[in-house]
Amino acid sequence: MAGSTFDPRVGKMSEDGGQVIRFPTPGRAAARPVLAASVAVFREGKVLLATRTKPPADQLWSLPGGKVEAGETLEEAALRELEEEVGVTARILGFNRHVEIFGRDAKGAVTHHFVVASFVGEWLSGEPRTGPEAGAVMWADPLKLGGLATTRELGDVLRRAHQIVTAGVPA
């Protein structure tokens, strides 16, 4: 990127040259919640899951998603993150619910706080692939996650997403 710099101590630069801060940042409390979006993409009755590669959900199975950028809608952010993380395109069928993810350090200070708008989508193209933010990917039965280590509330999110897809529950 012309005109931007990279400092490995703080993270990468965003497309507009702004600093991308990793969460949680050791020794720093979260200043405010971070808005994010995700999408439960369905294909032939299965939902796409990926393992996270960064804290706070490192190595846990979850939905593809990430931070909303200034100037994009929640739906646009969910679809962009889906394509960036796992190489899949989809169309949004509707809104599912929001999930809040936060943590505290030993002293009780908030280390991270994300508010994730979760959508339901239908697969259009692309075969899921791993990458810097997705350590593993799979199509899974949304109602039978077995012993998978998942992000908190993923089971509830997937049950409602499955209802939206199969029963036409208004989103």
Side-chain angles (χ1 to χ4, degrees), residues 40 42 94-98 118 120 142-143 153-171:
F42 284 82
F95 180 73
N96 187 353
R97 58 173 282 206
H98 84 277
S118 183
V120 179
L143 304 178
E153 299 189 47
L154 181 62
D156 289 336
V157 168
L158 293 181
R159 279 188 286 283
R160 176 152 165 78
H162 182 261
Q163 288 175 337
I164 291 169
V165 168
T166 60
V169 173

Side-chain angles (χ1 to χ4, degrees), residues 5-142:
T5 60
F6 175 81
D7 182 345
R9 294 168 295 166
V10 293
K12 66 179 183 173
M13 300 301 286
S14 69
E15 292 294 320
D16 64 358
Q19 184 183 49
V20 176
I21 299 173
R22 287 178 252 170
F23 289 87
T25 302
R28 275 182 65 183
R32 63 183 177 273
V34 174
L35 182 59
S38 69
V39 59
V41 175
F42 284 82
R43 179 182 182 186
E44 299 174 1
K46 304 284 186 178
V47 67
L48 178 60
L49 300 179
T51 57
R52 310 302 302 168
T53 61
K54 299 175 184 171
D58 189 27
Q59 303 302 310
L60 297 179
W61 289 95
S62 190
L63 298 175
K67 296 175 193 172
V68 177
E69 294 180 359
E72 71 182 350
T73 68
L74 296 171
E75 290 182 5
E76 289 169 342
L79 294 174
R80 175 186 50 76
E81 287 286 344
L82 174 68
E83 200 283 322
E84 287 177 3
E85 287 187 8
V86 296
V88 167
T89 60
R91 73 178 181 96
I92 298 291
L93 299 175
F95 180 73
N96 187 353
R97 58 173 282 206
H98 84 277
V99 176
E100 292 193 60
I101 304 160
F102 58 93
R104 298 181 185 275
D105 65 16
K107 294 181 182 179
V110 176
T111 58
H112 58 277
H113 185 172
F114 294 91
V115 178
V116 183
S118 183
F119 292 90
V120 179
E122 177 182 42
W123 175 87
L124 294 177
S125 66
E127 292 305 320
R129 58 168 165 63
T130 61
E133 296 183 53
V137 293
M138 75 168 160
W139 293 100
D141 183 323

